[in-house]
Amino acid sequence: MAMANLEVRFWGVRGSIPTPHEPNMKHGGNTPCVEVRRDGGPPLIFDAGTGIRCLGRELLNGIPPGGKHKVHLFLTHFHWDHIQGLPFFDPLYRADYFMQVWSSVGAEHLQSTLERQMSRPYFPIDLTEPPRRPDYTMAPKEGVEVEGIQVEPFPLNHPGGCAGYRLSAGGTRIVYATDHEPGDESCDRRLMQMAGGADLLIIDSQYLPEEYPARKGWGHGTWLASAETARQAGVKQLVLFHHDPARDDSAVEDVVRMAQGEFANTIAAREGCNLTL
Ligand SMILES: [Zn+2]
Ligand SMILES: [Zn+2]
């Protein structure tokens, strides 16, 4: 079987709230949005944090109106930092772009939740007015193949719930596990199973171990827990993700160095970073 080429691009890597401050700009201030393509095919987008705005501009760059394009957006959950960029995603305003939104957590409220965000008094433009008519789909537990990539959701431990996603194509595997607090036995076991042997694990690493006790129950993990998960699961590369708003670039670099002491092949997610697997 020919290995598929999976390309990952980070458009937003910051947790909780955008942080467009100078000391943070190397890693970036936009909230979560990750793009994945197989062999240069159409994009699968994971989360609609503020990073999705620049992705939308890039998608339309040089493409005149007309034709038919499809965009798949997979949401992990509905906390602000994962949906707040959606109203600023330009393809939403083009009749030649058709968007399919997938969710597994709270999928029964998927449409109403997104429509409420994009309606008065929160926003001047309504999501239900044409051409803004996405299709809303529950991501099936057993997984679904989209643009040649098998996408499987699985539960993470987060207040209100959150979905991780495992992406597989031709033997290459990526696990996206943002907004996860280790400590729930069944979620931890499932994550370990899904991440087992993955080429890339992108995982919530918001806190320092010493910060964690005061943040227990907030739904996020530490770099140390991420490094341990990566080692136990035998992944090839670890990407620390969902950086704390208070962590500036030099603090993120310190975290990476400490994490590399536990799991050598570790990097921090950075806006604009491309990884080819
Ligand atoms: Zn988040
Ligand atoms: Zn969250």
Side-chain angles (χ1 to χ4, degrees), residues 14-16 32 76-77 79 81-82 158 178-179 204 206 220 242:
R14 187 68 55 178
S16 308
T76 57
H77 63 314
H79 286 162
D81 51 326
H82 298 259
H158 195 63
T178 188
D179 295 60
D204 180 334
Q206 181 154 350
H220 302 288
H242 207 273

Side-chain angles (χ1 to χ4, degrees), residues 154 175 177 180 187-195 203 229:
F154 59 96
V175 170
H180 171 64
C187 285
D188 289 349
R189 199 178 326 116
R190 186 87 173 112
L191 171 60
M192 195 60 68
Q193 185 189 17
M194 296 304 271
I203 187 167
T229 301

Side-chain angles (χ1 to χ4, degrees), residues 215-234:
R215 306 272 190 278
K216 198 166 158 50
W218 290 23
H220 302 288
T222 67
W223 64 262
L224 182 58
S226 299
E228 278 165 3
T229 301
R231 193 175 50 219
Q232 282 173 33

Side-chain angles (χ1 to χ4, degrees), residues 128-182:
T128 56
E129 287 164 25
R132 296 171 293 283
R133 287 268 178 79
D135 232 24
Y136 301 94
T137 319
M138 160 115 66
K141 277 194 179 64
E142 66 278 13
V144 57
E145 191 177 311
V146 178
E147 308 295 2
I149 301 175
Q150 182 72 17
V151 183
E152 295 161 89
F154 59 96
L156 294 171
N157 183 37
H158 195 63
C162 183
Y165 289 101
R166 178 167 73 178
L167 320 181
S168 320
T172 305
R173 276 173 296 149
I174 296 170
V175 170
Y176 178 57
T178 188
D179 295 60
H180 171 64
E181 177 169 354

Side-chain angles (χ1 to χ4, degrees), residues 43-204:
L44 273 59
I45 304 169
F46 293 84
D47 278 327
T50 57
I52 202 171
R53 188 183 72 87
C54 290
L55 166 55
R57 291 168 61 98
E58 170 101 357
L59 286 178
L60 299 185
N61 190 14
I63 297 183
K68 253 186 163 40
H69 309 278
K70 192 157 183 182
V71 178
H72 291 272
L73 169 64
F74 289 84
L75 294 174
T76 57
H77 63 314
F78 303 117
H79 286 162
W80 288 124
D81 51 326
H82 298 259
I83 61 168
Q84 69 199 140
L86 188 60
F88 300 91
F89 184 58
D90 285 350
L92 206 52
Y93 298 82
R94 288 256 301 244
D96 52 338
Y97 273 79
F98 175 72
M99 186 152 126
Q100 186 152 10
V101 186
W102 301 80
S103 176
S104 95
V105 169
E108 64 279 22
H109 310 299
L110 169 61
Q111 180 167 358
S112 62
T113 304
L114 295 183
E115 285 179 357
R116 275 209 316 273
Q117 163 181 244
M118 241 178 113
S119 65
R120 271 162 278 182
Y122 306 112
F123 201 72
I125 312 291
D126 214 287
L127 185 59
T128 56
E129 287 164 25
R132 296 171 293 283
R133 287 268 178 79
D135 232 24
Y136 301 94
T137 319
M138 160 115 66
K141 277 194 179 64
E142 66 278 13
V144 57
E145 191 177 311
V146 178
E147 308 295 2
I149 301 175
Q150 182 72 17
V151 183
E152 295 161 89
F154 59 96
L156 294 171
N157 183 37
H158 195 63
C162 183
Y165 289 101
R166 178 167 73 178
L167 320 181
S168 320
T172 305
R173 276 173 296 149
I174 296 170
V175 170
Y176 178 57
T178 188
D179 295 60
H180 171 64
E181 177 169 354
D184 176 275
E185 206 186 310
S186 98
C187 285
D188 289 349
R189 199 178 326 116
R190 186 87 173 112
L191 171 60
M192 195 60 68
Q193 185 189 17
M194 296 304 271
D199 297 275
L200 196 68
L201 172 62
I202 302 163
I203 187 167
D204 180 334

